[in-house]
mmCIF file of all heavy atoms in Angstrom:
data_model
loop_
_atom_site.group_PDB
_atom_site.id
_atom_site.type_symbol
_atom_site.label_atom_id
_atom_site.label_comp_id
_atom_site.label_asym_id
_atom_site.label_seq_id
_atom_site.Cartn_x
_atom_site.Cartn_y
_atom_site.Cartn_z
ATOM 1 N N SER A 1 -48.274 -3.451 71.429
ATOM 2 C CA SER A 1 -49.553 -2.837 71.357
ATOM 3 C C SER A 1 -49.477 -1.760 70.282
ATOM 4 O O SER A 1 -48.529 -0.898 70.311
ATOM 5 C CB SER A 1 -49.930 -2.236 72.687
ATOM 6 O OG SER A 1 -50.061 -3.234 73.651
ATOM 7 N N ILE A 2 -50.417 -1.768 69.293
ATOM 8 C CA ILE A 2 -50.353 -0.907 68.200
ATOM 9 C C ILE A 2 -51.446 0.206 68.355
ATOM 10 O O ILE A 2 -52.580 -0.062 68.346
ATOM 11 C CB ILE A 2 -50.578 -1.638 66.833
ATOM 12 C CG1 ILE A 2 -49.471 -2.706 66.637
ATOM 13 C CG2 ILE A 2 -50.603 -0.663 65.651
ATOM 14 C CD1 ILE A 2 -49.756 -3.667 65.540
ATOM 15 N N TYR A 3 -50.940 1.432 68.615
ATOM 16 C CA TYR A 3 -51.851 2.554 68.942
ATOM 17 C C TYR A 3 -52.268 3.243 67.631
ATOM 18 O O TYR A 3 -51.418 3.729 66.845
ATOM 19 C CB TYR A 3 -51.150 3.532 69.898
ATOM 20 C CG TYR A 3 -51.067 3.064 71.267
ATOM 21 C CD1 TYR A 3 -50.236 1.979 71.573
ATOM 22 C CD2 TYR A 3 -51.749 3.645 72.317
ATOM 23 C CE1 TYR A 3 -50.128 1.493 72.899
ATOM 24 C CE2 TYR A 3 -51.697 3.151 73.598
ATOM 25 C CZ TYR A 3 -50.822 2.104 73.921
ATOM 26 O OH TYR A 3 -50.756 1.641 75.168
ATOM 27 N N LEU A 4 -53.576 3.291 67.409
ATOM 28 C CA LEU A 4 -54.131 3.701 66.119
ATOM 29 C C LEU A 4 -55.359 4.581 66.309
ATOM 30 O O LEU A 4 -56.246 4.209 67.097
ATOM 31 C CB LEU A 4 -54.477 2.420 65.328
ATOM 32 C CG LEU A 4 -55.223 2.561 64.010
ATOM 33 C CD1 LEU A 4 -54.508 3.464 63.035
ATOM 34 C CD2 LEU A 4 -55.392 1.155 63.399
ATOM 35 N N GLN A 5 -55.376 5.726 65.636
ATOM 36 C CA GLN A 5 -56.505 6.646 65.753
ATOM 37 C C GLN A 5 -57.697 6.118 64.970
ATOM 38 O O GLN A 5 -57.623 5.904 63.748
ATOM 39 C CB GLN A 5 -56.081 7.997 65.185
ATOM 40 C CG GLN A 5 -57.129 9.093 65.308
ATOM 41 C CD GLN A 5 -57.505 9.372 66.741
ATOM 42 O OE1 GLN A 5 -58.709 9.358 67.086
ATOM 43 N NE2 GLN A 5 -56.552 9.628 67.634
ATOM 44 N N ARG A 6 -58.772 5.868 65.678
ATOM 45 C CA ARG A 6 -59.958 5.213 65.076
ATOM 46 C C ARG A 6 -60.523 6.033 63.931
ATOM 47 O O ARG A 6 -60.903 5.519 62.911
ATOM 48 C CB ARG A 6 -61.043 4.963 66.145
ATOM 49 C CG ARG A 6 -62.190 4.142 65.675
ATOM 50 C CD ARG A 6 -63.269 3.994 66.699
ATOM 51 N NE ARG A 6 -62.857 3.217 67.818
ATOM 52 C CZ ARG A 6 -62.937 1.898 67.905
ATOM 53 N NH1 ARG A 6 -63.370 1.228 66.856
ATOM 54 N NH2 ARG A 6 -62.531 1.302 69.013
ATOM 55 N N ARG A 7 -60.535 7.352 64.059
ATOM 56 C CA ARG A 7 -61.126 8.173 62.969
ATOM 57 C C ARG A 7 -60.271 8.182 61.739
ATOM 58 O O ARG A 7 -60.775 8.398 60.648
ATOM 59 C CB ARG A 7 -61.329 9.603 63.554
ATOM 60 C CG ARG A 7 -62.458 9.753 64.542
ATOM 61 C CD ARG A 7 -62.376 11.081 65.250
ATOM 62 N NE ARG A 7 -61.242 11.189 66.134
ATOM 63 C CZ ARG A 7 -60.913 12.283 66.755
ATOM 64 N NH1 ARG A 7 -61.647 13.386 66.647
ATOM 65 N NH2 ARG A 7 -59.884 12.312 67.592
ATOM 66 N N GLU A 8 -58.974 7.898 61.887
ATOM 67 C CA GLU A 8 -58.132 7.774 60.705
ATOM 68 C C GLU A 8 -58.518 6.556 59.874
ATOM 69 O O GLU A 8 -58.434 6.605 58.615
ATOM 70 C CB GLU A 8 -56.627 7.689 61.101
ATOM 71 C CG GLU A 8 -55.684 7.541 59.996
ATOM 72 C CD GLU A 8 -55.436 8.757 59.146
ATOM 73 O OE1 GLU A 8 -55.987 9.833 59.473
ATOM 74 O OE2 GLU A 8 -54.713 8.650 58.149
ATOM 75 N N VAL A 9 -58.938 5.501 60.532
ATOM 76 C CA VAL A 9 -59.451 4.306 59.851
ATOM 77 C C VAL A 9 -60.689 4.645 59.004
ATOM 78 O O VAL A 9 -60.826 4.282 57.870
ATOM 79 C CB VAL A 9 -59.710 3.165 60.800
ATOM 80 C CG1 VAL A 9 -60.296 1.970 60.076
ATOM 81 C CG2 VAL A 9 -58.424 2.769 61.538
ATOM 82 N N SER A 10 -61.620 5.343 59.633
ATOM 83 C CA SER A 10 -62.835 5.725 58.945
ATOM 84 C C SER A 10 -62.519 6.632 57.743
ATOM 85 O O SER A 10 -63.127 6.449 56.688
ATOM 86 C CB SER A 10 -63.771 6.502 59.896
ATOM 87 O OG SER A 10 -64.153 5.685 60.988
ATOM 88 N N PHE A 11 -61.558 7.534 57.855
ATOM 89 C CA PHE A 11 -61.147 8.368 56.779
ATOM 90 C C PHE A 11 -60.553 7.539 55.656
ATOM 91 O O PHE A 11 -60.874 7.725 54.476
ATOM 92 C CB PHE A 11 -60.103 9.372 57.279
ATOM 93 C CG PHE A 11 -59.355 10.120 56.192
ATOM 94 C CD1 PHE A 11 -59.984 11.046 55.385
ATOM 95 C CD2 PHE A 11 -58.008 9.851 55.958
ATOM 96 C CE1 PHE A 11 -59.321 11.738 54.421
ATOM 97 C CE2 PHE A 11 -57.330 10.498 54.976
ATOM 98 C CZ PHE A 11 -57.937 11.461 54.189
ATOM 99 N N ALA A 12 -59.670 6.587 55.963
ATOM 100 C CA ALA A 12 -59.060 5.750 54.931
ATOM 101 C C ALA A 12 -60.093 4.884 54.209
ATOM 102 O O ALA A 12 -60.042 4.743 52.962
ATOM 103 C CB ALA A 12 -58.010 4.823 55.603
ATOM 104 N N GLU A 13 -61.074 4.410 54.944
ATOM 105 C CA GLU A 13 -62.118 3.552 54.341
ATOM 106 C C GLU A 13 -63.093 4.370 53.462
ATOM 107 O O GLU A 13 -63.660 3.810 52.537
ATOM 108 C CB GLU A 13 -62.882 2.783 55.406
ATOM 109 C CG GLU A 13 -62.045 1.759 56.114
ATOM 110 C CD GLU A 13 -62.735 1.108 57.319
ATOM 111 O OE1 GLU A 13 -63.718 1.718 57.834
ATOM 112 O OE2 GLU A 13 -62.297 0.006 57.694
ATOM 113 N N LEU A 14 -63.205 5.664 53.771
ATOM 114 C CA LEU A 14 -64.119 6.521 53.046
ATOM 115 C C LEU A 14 -63.629 6.814 51.662
ATOM 116 O O LEU A 14 -64.385 6.954 50.705
ATOM 117 C CB LEU A 14 -64.347 7.829 53.832
ATOM 118 C CG LEU A 14 -65.366 8.826 53.271
ATOM 119 C CD1 LEU A 14 -66.749 8.222 53.311
ATOM 120 C CD2 LEU A 14 -65.249 10.128 54.055
ATOM 121 N N ILE A 15 -62.290 6.908 51.511
ATOM 122 C CA ILE A 15 -61.717 7.267 50.179
ATOM 123 C C ILE A 15 -60.985 6.075 49.619
ATOM 124 O O ILE A 15 -59.771 6.046 49.538
ATOM 125 C CB ILE A 15 -60.785 8.517 50.286
ATOM 126 C CG1 ILE A 15 -59.822 8.362 51.480
ATOM 127 C CG2 ILE A 15 -61.613 9.761 50.502
ATOM 128 C CD1 ILE A 15 -58.807 9.522 51.555
ATOM 129 N N GLN A 16 -61.725 5.066 49.193
ATOM 130 C CA GLN A 16 -61.157 3.811 48.784
ATOM 131 C C GLN A 16 -60.302 3.875 47.522
ATOM 132 O O GLN A 16 -59.622 2.873 47.232
ATOM 133 C CB GLN A 16 -62.335 2.838 48.551
ATOM 134 C CG GLN A 16 -62.914 2.249 49.814
ATOM 135 C CD GLN A 16 -62.052 1.139 50.411
ATOM 136 O OE1 GLN A 16 -61.200 0.516 49.745
ATOM 137 N NE2 GLN A 16 -62.185 0.911 51.683
ATOM 138 N N ASP A 17 -60.256 4.989 46.862
ATOM 139 C CA ASP A 17 -59.440 5.075 45.655
ATOM 140 C C ASP A 17 -58.153 5.816 45.839
ATOM 141 O O ASP A 17 -57.432 6.115 44.869
ATOM 142 C CB ASP A 17 -60.267 5.755 44.539
ATOM 143 C CG ASP A 17 -60.691 7.155 44.911
ATOM 144 O OD1 ASP A 17 -60.609 7.512 46.093
ATOM 145 O OD2 ASP A 17 -61.086 7.918 43.966
ATOM 146 N N ASP A 18 -57.757 6.099 47.075
ATOM 147 C CA ASP A 18 -56.536 6.842 47.369
ATOM 148 C C ASP A 18 -55.341 5.894 47.338
ATOM 149 O O ASP A 18 -55.216 4.993 48.185
ATOM 150 C CB ASP A 18 -56.638 7.511 48.741
ATOM 151 C CG ASP A 18 -55.511 8.497 48.979
ATOM 152 O OD1 ASP A 18 -54.440 8.359 48.377
ATOM 153 O OD2 ASP A 18 -55.731 9.449 49.790
ATOM 154 N N ILE A 19 -54.445 6.065 46.376
ATOM 155 C CA ILE A 19 -53.346 5.133 46.175
ATOM 156 C C ILE A 19 -52.216 5.337 47.228
ATOM 157 O O ILE A 19 -51.240 4.640 47.266
ATOM 158 C CB ILE A 19 -52.710 5.247 44.796
ATOM 159 C CG1 ILE A 19 -52.292 6.700 44.493
ATOM 160 C CG2 ILE A 19 -53.699 4.767 43.753
ATOM 161 C CD1 ILE A 19 -51.611 6.848 43.085
ATOM 162 N N SER A 20 -52.408 6.310 48.153
ATOM 163 C CA SER A 20 -51.437 6.419 49.277
ATOM 164 C C SER A 20 -51.682 5.337 50.319
ATOM 165 O O SER A 20 -50.776 5.116 51.139
ATOM 166 C CB SER A 20 -51.636 7.813 49.941
ATOM 167 O OG SER A 20 -51.251 8.848 49.082
ATOM 168 N N PHE A 21 -52.827 4.724 50.286
ATOM 169 C CA PHE A 21 -53.106 3.608 51.162
ATOM 170 C C PHE A 21 -52.970 2.267 50.424
ATOM 171 O O PHE A 21 -53.369 2.138 49.259
ATOM 172 C CB PHE A 21 -54.542 3.696 51.725
ATOM 173 C CG PHE A 21 -54.847 4.908 52.504
ATOM 174 C CD1 PHE A 21 -55.447 6.037 51.915
ATOM 175 C CD2 PHE A 21 -54.520 4.998 53.880
ATOM 176 C CE1 PHE A 21 -55.708 7.162 52.651
ATOM 177 C CE2 PHE A 21 -54.853 6.121 54.598
ATOM 178 C CZ PHE A 21 -55.445 7.235 53.989
ATOM 179 N N ASP A 22 -52.396 1.272 51.139
ATOM 180 C CA ASP A 22 -52.381 -0.102 50.606
ATOM 181 C C ASP A 22 -53.539 -0.845 51.274
ATOM 182 O O ASP A 22 -53.387 -1.327 52.395
ATOM 183 C CB ASP A 22 -50.984 -0.720 50.925
ATOM 184 C CG ASP A 22 -50.886 -2.115 50.288
ATOM 185 O OD1 ASP A 22 -51.879 -2.816 50.171
ATOM 186 O OD2 ASP A 22 -49.729 -2.442 49.935
ATOM 187 N N TYR A 23 -54.649 -0.900 50.601
ATOM 188 C CA TYR A 23 -55.855 -1.412 51.246
ATOM 189 C C TYR A 23 -55.770 -2.899 51.583
ATOM 190 O O TYR A 23 -56.391 -3.332 52.582
ATOM 191 C CB TYR A 23 -57.091 -1.109 50.421
ATOM 192 C CG TYR A 23 -57.425 0.373 50.462
ATOM 193 C CD1 TYR A 23 -57.032 1.211 49.411
ATOM 194 C CD2 TYR A 23 -58.136 0.918 51.498
ATOM 195 C CE1 TYR A 23 -57.340 2.587 49.457
ATOM 196 C CE2 TYR A 23 -58.441 2.265 51.565
ATOM 197 C CZ TYR A 23 -58.018 3.091 50.533
ATOM 198 O OH TYR A 23 -58.303 4.462 50.581
ATOM 199 N N GLU A 24 -55.032 -3.639 50.819
ATOM 200 C CA GLU A 24 -54.870 -5.099 51.114
ATOM 201 C C GLU A 24 -54.182 -5.259 52.460
ATOM 202 O O GLU A 24 -54.636 -6.038 53.328
ATOM 203 C CB GLU A 24 -54.101 -5.744 50.008
ATOM 204 C CG GLU A 24 -53.884 -7.267 50.258
ATOM 205 C CD GLU A 24 -53.080 -7.953 49.165
ATOM 206 O OE1 GLU A 24 -52.669 -7.231 48.199
ATOM 207 O OE2 GLU A 24 -52.828 -9.161 49.257
ATOM 208 N N ILE A 25 -53.041 -4.568 52.629
ATOM 209 C CA ILE A 25 -52.331 -4.676 53.909
ATOM 210 C C ILE A 25 -53.096 -3.989 55.075
ATOM 211 O O ILE A 25 -53.132 -4.491 56.183
ATOM 212 C CB ILE A 25 -50.906 -4.131 53.779
ATOM 213 C CG1 ILE A 25 -50.082 -5.027 52.808
ATOM 214 C CG2 ILE A 25 -50.225 -4.002 55.110
ATOM 215 C CD1 ILE A 25 -48.647 -4.599 52.574
ATOM 216 N N LEU A 26 -53.692 -2.876 54.764
ATOM 217 C CA LEU A 26 -54.471 -2.158 55.818
ATOM 218 C C LEU A 26 -55.612 -3.071 56.355
ATOM 219 O O LEU A 26 -55.841 -3.110 57.576
ATOM 220 C CB LEU A 26 -55.044 -0.901 55.236
ATOM 221 C CG LEU A 26 -55.894 -0.014 56.206
ATOM 222 C CD1 LEU A 26 -55.063 0.273 57.463
ATOM 223 C CD2 LEU A 26 -56.345 1.210 55.495
ATOM 224 N N GLU A 27 -56.247 -3.799 55.454
ATOM 225 C CA GLU A 27 -57.294 -4.699 55.937
ATOM 226 C C GLU A 27 -56.769 -5.764 56.907
ATOM 227 O O GLU A 27 -57.378 -6.089 57.926
ATOM 228 C CB GLU A 27 -57.905 -5.399 54.723
ATOM 229 C CG GLU A 27 -59.097 -6.337 55.098
ATOM 230 C CD GLU A 27 -59.724 -6.956 53.858
ATOM 231 O OE1 GLU A 27 -59.340 -6.606 52.716
ATOM 232 O OE2 GLU A 27 -60.587 -7.829 54.035
ATOM 233 N N GLU A 28 -55.538 -6.235 56.627
ATOM 234 C CA GLU A 28 -54.936 -7.223 57.540
ATOM 235 C C GLU A 28 -54.506 -6.587 58.844
ATOM 236 O O GLU A 28 -54.610 -7.188 59.897
ATOM 237 C CB GLU A 28 -53.748 -7.890 56.840
ATOM 238 C CG GLU A 28 -54.064 -8.655 55.607
ATOM 239 C CD GLU A 28 -55.036 -9.800 55.870
ATOM 240 O OE1 GLU A 28 -54.922 -10.461 56.889
ATOM 241 O OE2 GLU A 28 -55.883 -10.028 54.983
ATOM 242 N N ILE A 29 -54.044 -5.374 58.813
ATOM 243 C CA ILE A 29 -53.627 -4.643 60.013
ATOM 244 C C ILE A 29 -54.848 -4.493 60.963
ATOM 245 O O ILE A 29 -54.760 -4.750 62.155
ATOM 246 C CB ILE A 29 -53.053 -3.273 59.698
ATOM 247 C CG1 ILE A 29 -51.646 -3.451 59.005
ATOM 248 C CG2 ILE A 29 -52.896 -2.423 60.969
ATOM 249 C CD1 ILE A 29 -51.080 -2.165 58.444
ATOM 250 N N LEU A 30 -55.974 -4.153 60.365
ATOM 251 C CA LEU A 30 -57.161 -3.886 61.203
ATOM 252 C C LEU A 30 -57.748 -5.161 61.851
ATOM 253 O O LEU A 30 -58.615 -5.080 62.719
ATOM 254 C CB LEU A 30 -58.218 -3.211 60.327
ATOM 255 C CG LEU A 30 -57.837 -1.806 59.819
ATOM 256 C CD1 LEU A 30 -58.954 -1.221 58.914
ATOM 257 C CD2 LEU A 30 -57.477 -0.875 60.963
ATOM 258 N N LYS A 31 -57.304 -6.306 61.377
ATOM 259 C CA LYS A 31 -57.709 -7.558 62.012
ATOM 260 C C LYS A 31 -56.881 -7.957 63.214
ATOM 261 O O LYS A 31 -57.235 -8.902 63.937
ATOM 262 C CB LYS A 31 -57.639 -8.754 60.971
ATOM 263 C CG LYS A 31 -58.555 -8.626 59.773
ATOM 264 C CD LYS A 31 -58.273 -9.750 58.816
ATOM 265 C CE LYS A 31 -59.096 -9.623 57.531
ATOM 266 N NZ LYS A 31 -58.744 -10.694 56.567
ATOM 267 N N LEU A 32 -55.786 -7.259 63.424
ATOM 268 C CA LEU A 32 -54.824 -7.680 64.492
ATOM 269 C C LEU A 32 -55.467 -7.515 65.844
ATOM 270 O O LEU A 32 -56.204 -6.565 66.122
ATOM 271 C CB LEU A 32 -53.552 -6.779 64.384
ATOM 272 C CG LEU A 32 -52.700 -6.971 63.162
ATOM 273 C CD1 LEU A 32 -51.554 -5.973 63.160
ATOM 274 C CD2 LEU A 32 -52.139 -8.418 63.090
ATOM 275 N N PRO A 33 -55.176 -8.468 66.781
ATOM 276 C CA PRO A 33 -55.773 -8.433 68.098
ATOM 277 C C PRO A 33 -55.068 -7.393 69.028
ATOM 278 O O PRO A 33 -55.623 -7.129 70.117
ATOM 279 C CB PRO A 33 -55.580 -9.842 68.610
ATOM 280 C CG PRO A 33 -54.317 -10.340 67.916
ATOM 281 C CD PRO A 33 -54.381 -9.687 66.548
ATOM 282 N N ASN A 34 -53.955 -6.907 68.672
ATOM 283 C CA ASN A 34 -53.143 -6.077 69.556
ATOM 284 C C ASN A 34 -53.280 -4.584 69.262
ATOM 285 O O ASN A 34 -52.407 -3.850 69.585
ATOM 286 C CB ASN A 34 -51.681 -6.503 69.547
ATOM 287 C CG ASN A 34 -51.121 -6.711 68.123
ATOM 288 O OD1 ASN A 34 -51.843 -6.981 67.191
ATOM 289 N ND2 ASN A 34 -49.811 -6.568 68.015
ATOM 290 N N ILE A 35 -54.380 -4.169 68.630
ATOM 291 C CA ILE A 35 -54.610 -2.752 68.352
ATOM 292 C C ILE A 35 -55.191 -2.092 69.599
ATOM 293 O O ILE A 35 -56.108 -2.610 70.221
ATOM 294 C CB ILE A 35 -55.551 -2.525 67.148
ATOM 295 C CG1 ILE A 35 -54.818 -3.000 65.860
ATOM 296 C CG2 ILE A 35 -55.993 -1.101 67.056
ATOM 297 C CD1 ILE A 35 -55.687 -2.864 64.650
ATOM 298 N N VAL A 36 -54.670 -0.937 69.938
ATOM 299 C CA VAL A 36 -55.239 -0.049 70.970
ATOM 300 C C VAL A 36 -55.876 1.105 70.251
ATOM 301 O O VAL A 36 -55.260 1.949 69.625
ATOM 302 C CB VAL A 36 -54.189 0.424 71.931
ATOM 303 C CG1 VAL A 36 -54.792 1.392 72.973
ATOM 304 C CG2 VAL A 36 -53.441 -0.704 72.655
#
């Protein structure tokens, strides 16, 4: 079970040009069925 702060996702999506995030992989992570 992958525990993830929902507001952190909104923050990451808001600043789409931040190279600290790997948006390709992040998009796949957010599709996972085992997120809490």
Side-chain angles (χ1 to χ4, degrees):
S1 298
I2 300 170
Y3 286 68
L4 172 56
Q5 184 60 233
R6 187 183 293 274
R7 287 168 291 175
E8 178 73 5
V9 176
S10 300
F11 166 71
E13 292 175 339
L14 184 66
I15 48 175
Q16 282 284 335
D17 60 345
D18 190 334
I19 56 177
S20 294
F21 299 96
D22 185 327
Y23 288 97
E24 180 181 1
I25 292 180
L26 181 56
E27 183 178 353
E28 297 300 323
I29 291 171
L30 297 178
K31 295 176 184 176
L32 294 174
N34 47 335
I35 291 178
V36 178

